[in-house]
Amino acid sequence: MDLGLKGRQALITGAAKGIGKAIAERLAAEGCNLILVGRGKDTLNALARDLEKTGACKAMAVEADL
């Protein structure tokens, strides 16, 4: 599905697991560049690396407790 999000930016909180992670994966598949926010620094960094491997997006991990 093409939602027309290629090149857009998205900030995702709670991105380390669950619904936040699923949203991040879907937006990355659409070509959205991502800022991943959550409490698990290692988990977020691993997710950012995995999402960037697809070549469809850029992802940055930010450790924060919102």
Side-chain angles (χ1 to χ4, degrees), residues 8-65:
R8 301 271 185 151
Q9 278 47 248
L11 172 73
I12 303 168
T13 59
K17 57 185 176 179
I19 294 172
K21 182 179 177 184
I23 291 169
E25 292 168 341
R26 186 66 217 150
L27 289 176
E30 290 289 328
C32 230
N33 296 315
L34 306 174
I35 301 168
L36 308 170
V37 180
R39 293 181 290 171
K41 181 180 179 181
D42 294 334
T43 306
L44 289 171
N45 284 329
L47 177 60
R49 281 191 305 272
D50 290 344
L51 294 174
E52 285 187 336
K53 283 181 186 176
T54 66
C57 75
K58 293 182 181 181
M60 178 176 64
V62 177
E63 183 181 26
D65 185 2

